């Protein structure tokens, strides 16, 4: 992907080498191996130069004589900021004595994580790269430490990777960690997966050929490949299905990548004309993406020789996004995103990642010393999202519980400020109506409308509350308000 390091990156490597000189990892290798591995991971994810440099320097503040000022002077504010964030994240973790009280999260650690994160999501991406390399080299640590790091990776970092839709990372992390958390089970399940794949091998080759021929006949350009089932996700699925392996339908899976959405649906049709689809196993995550923005069509079929095979059909772009998630967005919009981060603007994130905006606003509140309801904060990160549509079909993601005004302010504050009514699925509705998954929401506006204090009662998201308060404050400066604006609604 990259031909040659830039002078800045080369310089960062030099600085890190010098700083870590004489230090060794538990593996016995010189310490610099680790930051260089993190560099490589970040490059593979397609991250921007500042992130890569910060990755190279990520352990210098904590472990060497280098200071934040040194880094700022040589590499600029943005790199210093990222290194500082990663350092804060690890100091937040040093306080944990016992993993069981730390997990699922002590409030303090969680808070610090959020504050560091809120400033720049790239901090988390560096941390994930750091953790990935540490997991890859975990065997050098004493068993007790191995378990601790592995458990934390399974319960905190892998779910975060999933939240960012970094599928490839989630799978690698979870499987590496699961091996240490439960070695016996890991072995057992790996064998099952291997056996299944072996028994399906011939049949899969046959299917690949049949589908390939059919797609060629329809002049659809495609790539087809097997996908490896992750051991940890099988473990979790089995737990959900009373350990009944016969209820797991995606042990064998084929992935088909085509040029565009139309071809995805055409391919689905072709597959169903060749094999018998299983009822209730068709999932259209293209029309309704998963919470983390994942898109694909899934269908499970039964082949002529009675094999159960799951297909995943998606475009190249959906595939990149499923594998690399937020990192892929950086790759596609690198310049734009980085520029906007520098300017403190985050509006150009893909819509399905707007939860990050909410996170950042919450972090800003925390920094200003304002009160934040931690329960609500957790909700923003992990709660269910719903996807609703504009009449034109744009997908907007909102937290469960969102109301029409949240939707309106998400579109634009100009729209939010002038709401006079709402149509949900073509019918007139009211502003107290909770939006539901798949609703088509049309906001009616009037130029003469002005925002009302009472609207604060009809708002669920911090984002919309913030926008509304902003306008209310502006307006009250120009005229005497009839009554004072209440701070935040009690829930
Ligand atoms: Mn490190």
């Amino acid at each position: 992907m990259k031909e040659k390091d830039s002078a800045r990156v080369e310089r960062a490597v030099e600085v890190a080498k010098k700083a870590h000189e004489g230090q060794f990892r538990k593996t016995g290798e010189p310490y610099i191996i680790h930051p260089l591995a993190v560099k490589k991971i970040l490059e593979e994810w397609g991250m921007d130069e500042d992130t890569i440099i910060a990755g190279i320097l990520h352990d210098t503040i904590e472990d060497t004589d280098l200071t934040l000022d040194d880094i700022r002077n040589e590499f600029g504010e943005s790199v210093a900021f990222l290194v500082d964030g990663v350092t804060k994240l690890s100091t937040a973790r040093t306080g944990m004595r016992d993993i069981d009280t730390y997990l699922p999260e002590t409030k303090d650690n969680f808070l610090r994580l959020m504050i560091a994160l809120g400033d720049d999501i790239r901090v988390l991406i560096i941390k994930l790269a750091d953790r990935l390399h540490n997991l890859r080299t975990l065997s050098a640590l004493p068993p007790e430490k191995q378990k601790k790091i592995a458990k934390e990776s399974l319960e905190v970092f892998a779910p975060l990777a999933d939240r960012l839709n970094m599928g490839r990372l989630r799978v690698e992390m979870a499987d590496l960690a699961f091996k240490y958390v439960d070695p016996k089970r890991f072995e057992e399940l790996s064998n099952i997966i291997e056996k299944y794949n072996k028994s399906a091998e011939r049949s899969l080759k046959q299917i690949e050929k049949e589908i390939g021929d059919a797609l060629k006949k329809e002049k659809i350009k495609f790539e087809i490949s097997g996908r490896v089932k992750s051991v940890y996700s099988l473990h979790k699925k089995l737990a959900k299905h009373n350990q009944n392996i016969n209820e797991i339908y995606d042990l064998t899976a084929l992935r088909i990548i085509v040029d565009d959405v139309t071809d995805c649906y055409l391919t689905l049709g072709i597959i169903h004309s060749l094999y018998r689809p299983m009822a209730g196993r068709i999932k259209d995550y293209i029309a309704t993406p998963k919470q983390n923005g994942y898109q694909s069509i899934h269908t499970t079929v039964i082949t002529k020789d009675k094999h159960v095979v799951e297909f995943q059909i998606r475009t190249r772009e959906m595939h990149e996004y499923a594998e690399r998630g937020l990192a892929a967005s950086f790759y596609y919009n690198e310049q734009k995103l980085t520029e906007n981060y520098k300017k403190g603007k985050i509006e150009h994130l893909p819509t399905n990642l707007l939860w990050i905006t909410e996170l950042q606003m919450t972090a800003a509140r925390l920094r200003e010393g304002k009160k934040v309801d931690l329960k609500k904060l957790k909700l923003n990160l992990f709660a269910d999202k719903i996807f609703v549509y504009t009449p034109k079909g744009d997908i907007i993601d909102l937290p469960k519980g969102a109301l029409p005004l949240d939707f309106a302010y998400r579109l634009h504050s100009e729209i939010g400020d002038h709401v006079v009514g709402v149509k949900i699925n073509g019918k007139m509705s009211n502003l107290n109506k909770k939006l539901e998954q798949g609703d088509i929401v049309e906001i009616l506006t009037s130029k003469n409308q002005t925002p009302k204090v009472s609207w604060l009662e009809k708002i669920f998201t911090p984002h919309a509350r913030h926008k509304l308060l902003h306008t209310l404050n502006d307006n009250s400066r120009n005229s005497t308000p009839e009554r004072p604006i209440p701070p935040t609604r009690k829930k």
Side-chain angles (χ1 to χ4, degrees):
M1 189 157 35
K2 262 185 112 183
E3 323 75 46
K4 205 181 168 299
D5 287 342
S6 72
R8 266 181 99 219
V9 172
E10 266 178 23
R11 177 68 190 141
V13 171
E14 223 173 275
V15 169
K17 268 189 184 152
K18 219 178 134 213
H20 288 295
E21 202 161 7
Q23 296 178 341
F24 293 90
R25 300 198 87 215
K26 289 272 164 26
T27 53
E29 299 160 309
Y31 195 85
I32 191 68
I33 296 283
H34 169 62
L36 289 182
V38 170
K39 165 184 183 267
K40 196 165 162 250
I41 292 168
L42 291 169
E43 282 168 356
E44 280 166 8
W45 290 350
M47 296 306 295
D48 60 290
E49 191 177 280
D50 281 350
T51 308
I52 289 166
I53 293 174
I56 297 166
L57 299 169
H58 80 271
D59 276 331
T60 54
I61 301 295
E62 221 184 339
D63 300 340
T64 79
D65 294 335
L66 213 68
T67 68
L68 206 54
D69 281 335
D70 296 337
I71 292 176
R72 188 177 296 112
N73 289 338
E74 173 125 33
F75 299 101
E77 188 55 52
S78 168
V79 171
F81 190 86
L82 293 172
V83 175
D84 190 37
V86 180
T87 311
K88 276 186 190 142
L89 266 191
S90 51
T91 28
R93 280 181 54 256
T94 352
M96 73 186 210
R97 258 153 289 151
D98 176 10
I99 192 106
D100 291 316
T101 52
Y102 164 71
L103 293 170
E105 76 277 311
T106 66
K107 279 182 186 171
D108 192 43
N109 284 316
F110 194 68
L111 241 167
R112 286 190 211 206
L113 177 70
M114 291 303 112
I115 293 171
L117 248 180
D119 285 315
D120 197 323
I121 200 80
R122 292 178 298 176
V123 169
L124 179 63
I125 291 183
I126 298 169
K127 189 66 209 167
L128 287 169
D130 175 42
R131 173 52 56 102
L132 178 60
H133 183 244
N134 285 335
L135 277 174
R136 282 177 180 168
T137 51
L138 203 55
S139 61
L141 294 185
E144 198 200 324
K145 251 196 153 174
Q146 287 176 348
K147 275 226 160 113
K148 197 163 158 173
I149 291 178
K151 200 165 174 224
E152 189 194 34
S153 302
L154 265 191
E155 296 186 25
V156 178
F157 288 96
L160 276 171
D162 187 43
R163 202 70 186 80
L164 299 173
N165 197 19
M166 298 172 78
R168 202 191 300 157
L169 171 66
R170 174 185 53 83
V171 168
E172 186 180 351
M173 243 186 189
D175 278 6
L176 280 171
F178 186 49
K179 210 175 181 169
Y180 288 95
V181 171
D182 194 344
K184 233 182 96 198
R185 184 76 173 142
F186 183 88
E187 183 68 29
E188 220 173 86
L189 293 179
S190 309
N191 289 337
I192 290 180
I193 291 176
E194 210 188 284
K195 223 173 77 196
Y196 249 85
N197 283 341
K198 268 229 174 85
S199 77
E201 210 170 40
R202 285 240 325 276
S203 170
L204 277 183
K205 283 236 167 73
Q206 176 68 22
I207 297 166
E208 271 189 59
K209 196 185 170 310
E210 281 168 8
I211 288 183
D213 289 346
L215 288 172
K216 271 179 219 150
K217 222 169 112 195
E218 298 299 323
K219 298 206 167 39
I220 295 172
K221 268 198 242 150
F222 69 95
E223 258 172 57
I224 188 165
S225 60
R227 96 98 169 73
V228 184
K229 173 90 186 152
S230 118
V231 178
Y232 184 60
S233 69
L234 176 60
H235 168 71
K236 275 181 50 185
K237 264 204 177 157
L238 280 170
K240 242 201 253 167
H241 292 270
N242 292 318
Q243 305 301 326
N244 184 356
I245 192 109
N246 295 323
E247 283 180 25
I248 312 295
Y249 298 122
D250 62 349
L251 273 167
T252 344
L254 284 173
R255 182 175 289 150
I256 302 177
I257 297 168
V258 294
D259 280 347
D260 53 39
V261 172
T262 314
D263 283 356
C264 289
Y265 289 105
L266 285 173
T267 304
L268 178 72
I270 288 169
I271 292 170
H272 285 178
S273 69
L274 288 172
Y275 314 103
R276 187 160 59 83
M278 277 175 77
R281 296 281 312 169
I282 305 163
K283 290 174 202 149
D284 186 350
Y285 297 120
I286 290 181
T288 311
K290 283 193 184 180
Q291 291 163 27
N292 60 9
Y294 173 89
Q295 287 189 295
S296 236
I297 299 171
H298 292 190
T299 184
T300 307
V301 303
I302 300 166
T303 65
K304 285 146 210 162
D305 51 0
K306 299 277 180 278
H307 272 100
V308 175
V309 181
E310 187 193 73
F311 284 94
Q312 301 175 347
I313 310 158
R314 52 176 80 145
T315 65
R316 165 72 39 201
E317 206 180 340
M318 290 171 193
H319 180 60
E320 281 296 306
Y321 188 63
E323 294 276 295
R324 297 196 293 144
L326 185 66
S329 320
F330 272 95
Y331 181 69
Y332 282 118
N333 310 300
E334 186 177 318
Q335 248 1 70
K336 210 159 132 197
L337 263 175
T338 323
E339 281 311 305
N340 279 321
Y341 266 113
K342 279 184 196 150
K343 286 185 222 143
K345 273 196 237 155
I346 28 192
E347 265 127 40
H348 283 94
L349 283 173
T351 19
N352 41 37
L353 288 172
L354 272 171
W355 61 274
I356 292 168
T357 317
E358 282 179 26
L359 203 66
Q360 288 172 318
M361 290 179 53
T362 312
R365 287 181 61 81
L366 285 168
R367 274 197 310 279
E368 288 160 19
K370 289 180 187 150
K371 258 204 197 150
V372 166
D373 186 350
L374 266 181
K375 253 193 228 141
K376 227 171 167 185
L377 186 60
K378 200 176 162 219
L379 198 93
N380 281 338
L381 238 191
F382 297 106
D384 288 353
K385 292 261 171 199
I386 53 164
F387 289 89
V388 296
Y389 301 85
T390 68
K392 276 190 195 154
D394 290 330
I395 303 168
I396 306 289
D397 78 306
L398 289 164
K400 234 180 197 165
L403 299 158
L405 280 170
D406 296 302
F407 176 86
Y409 275 105
R410 169 62 62 78
L411 295 180
H412 201 283
S413 46
E414 275 297 305
I415 297 177
D417 285 346
H418 296 100
V419 172
V420 288
V422 59
K423 272 188 183 172
I424 299 175
N425 302 325
K427 274 190 214 137
M428 281 307 294
S429 188
N430 66 64
L431 298 180
N432 289 317
K433 175 85 173 62
K434 269 191 196 165
L435 298 179
E436 279 173 46
Q437 177 73 9
D439 277 348
I440 301 164
V441 187
E442 186 181 350
I443 297 293
L444 311 172
T445 58
S446 154
K447 268 186 199 155
N448 304 323
Q449 177 69 297
T450 51
K452 307 279 180 284
V453 172
S454 62
W455 286 6
L456 285 168
E457 301 294 323
K458 294 171 186 155
I459 270 177
F460 183 78
T461 61
H463 173 259
R465 171 178 311 281
H466 179 84
K467 296 248 164 160
L468 173 59
L469 281 172
H470 190 80
T471 322
L472 288 172
N473 284 332
D474 274 0
N475 290 357
S476 69
R477 233 166 271 139
N478 303 328
S479 65
T480 331
E482 285 156 27
R483 55 181 169 124
I485 295 154
T488 20
R489 177 171 57 139
K490 295 247 158 58
K491 289 217 71 189

